Structures are given as C-alpha cells and as structure tokens.
Amino acid sequence: MILFPLALWAAPVAAQTETSLELVLLADASGSIDAGELIFQRQGYADAMTSDTVLAAIADTLHGHIAVTYVEWATNQVQVVDWMLIDGAESAAAFADALTAAPRAAFGRNAIGAALLEGQRLIEVNDYDGFRHVIDFSGDSMGNSSGPPIVPSRDAVVAQGTVINALPILRPDSPRRAGYDLEALYAENIIGGPGAFMVTADGRESFAAAVQRK
C-alpha cells in the first residue's frame, strides 16, 4: 500500500489580496434611527466614497486601493454591501450604487458591543490583507440592550490592532441638550487605537461633510 503525504490532499489556500486599508463602515440601524436617518447615513457614505477628495486619498495610498464593507447594526448586524476593492471612480460608484439600493435589513435595539466585535470578525475572515484595519462606527446613543458590554468589546478589537473611529449623530432632540454628552461618551467608550478620532454630525448635510472629513 502506498501512503501519500497528507499535504497532497489538502485544499490549496487562496492567497489574500494585499491592500492599504480594510475599512468597516459600521452604521446605526437600531430602532432610534428612522428611515430618513438610515438614508442620510448611507447617502453620506456614498457621497464621501465617490468624492474627489476621498478618491485622491485612496489613490495616494501605498497600493492605490482599499477594501471596504458597509454593515448596519441593531440587535443584529447585517453586511449591507460585501467587501469591495475601491481603486478609482468606477469601483467607488459601484459601491455607492449597491449601498443606496439595498433594503433595510437590521432591526431592533442597540447592541454596540456585538456590533464592534462583528466588525472585527469581518476584518479577520475576508479575502484581503490590509496594511491598516479600521472600523468607522456611527450611532445616536450609547444604549447596549443586548450582547456583550461596550468597553471590553472595544478593548478586544483594539487589542487586535484595529482602530475604531466614531461619528456620533446629534439630532435636534439629542439628549446632549439634557445633560447627556454623547460626544464625550463616544470619546471615552468607543474610539480606540493609534490616531483614533471622532467627528460629530447633527443632520443630513453635516453628516455627509463629517463622513468625508473622517
């Protein structure tokens, strides 16, 4: 009987595509986000991704491209747009079209800790090998009705080398005006990693501008 080395029977491992950045856009779709707010988050990211400023920044990276996915979070987390390699205006437009056309799929109350951990999981299981790993998190509260707690989840993600940036959404009825400082809470509990930062939005126009700056 001839014994063949086990390695001969192993399936080949697909090589990952190297890129300058793996970016998870993690957007709030919980019950406090109405249809208009869901749309302005999506449109803000779509406009930013196709803007000359962002396209120039992508072109100026080491590889000339980045990998991006868009995830909406609530009690569950849904990958609205799968990982796409953005390397110019055409691929950016394809990402924007897919994002604005997709139906709402995440529902329920807040689960921020679970959302952050899911963002990290998506970075670890994709087909890309990014020089940097970043999660851009947006939301309008600090509620965490289910799933793991926020700070340990944030710390676990940052420990893997991923940077978490945040975009708090401050609506006209924002609790900030009642002594609840969402910006401070996001700064203390959500952002993390080298160079992590926060940009605040208080409406559709300022959200789009804040996303582009971020």
Side-chain angles (χ1 to χ4, degrees):
M1 181 175 63
I2 299 174
L3 298 178
F4 291 94
L6 185 61
L8 294 178
W9 298 97
V13 177
Q16 290 185 308
T17 300
E18 291 188 358
T19 189
S20 293
L21 171 67
E22 293 173 53
L23 175 62
V24 178
L25 303 175
L26 197 56
D28 194 349
S30 63
S32 60
I33 298 292
D34 61 27
E37 290 167 327
L38 187 86
I39 291 170
F40 83 59
Q41 286 183 95
R42 290 186 177 190
Q43 194 62 56
Y45 280 112
D47 290 347
M49 192 61 66
T50 55
S51 69
D52 291 340
T53 300
V54 171
L55 288 174
I58 292 172
D60 196 42
T61 62
L62 178 63
H63 298 83
H65 50 66
I66 65 173
V68 185
T69 184
Y70 191 93
V71 179
E72 286 176 345
W73 64 269
T75 302
N76 60 328
Q77 305 90 36
V78 177
Q79 202 172 3
V80 177
V81 181
D82 202 351
W83 286 100
M84 292 182 63
L85 196 71
I86 309 299
D87 59 1
E90 185 175 347
S91 54
F95 180 89
D97 289 346
L99 175 56
T100 54
R104 182 171 188 158
F107 296 93
R109 303 177 71 181
N110 284 13
I112 294 175
L116 294 175
L117 293 175
E118 174 64 6
Q120 179 62 30
R121 187 191 71 83
L122 291 171
I123 288 172
E124 294 172 355
V125 301
N126 65 40
D127 295 329
Y128 298 97
D129 180 13
F131 180 71
R132 296 175 58 229
H133 300 162
V134 174
I135 294 172
D136 276 0
F137 175 92
S138 63
D140 69 349
S141 79
M142 274 294 294
N144 200 55
S145 303
S146 63
I150 296 172
V151 173
S153 300
R154 185 271 314 272
D155 292 346
V157 171
V158 171
Q160 297 303 309
T162 298
V163 173
I164 304 173
N165 301 320
L167 201 160
I169 302 169
L170 302 178
R171 301 172 300 178
D173 61 345
S174 169
R176 179 179 62 170
R177 292 165 175 77
Y180 180 88
D181 192 337
L182 187 62
E183 294 156 301
L185 289 171
Y186 272 32
E188 294 167 5
N189 298 282
I190 291 182
I191 69 171
F197 59 89
M198 185 179 65
V199 181
T200 302
D202 57 11
R204 181 167 185 161
E205 291 183 4
S206 64
F207 186 91
V211 166
Q212 185 166 325
R213 291 199 306 273
K214 186 155 71 75

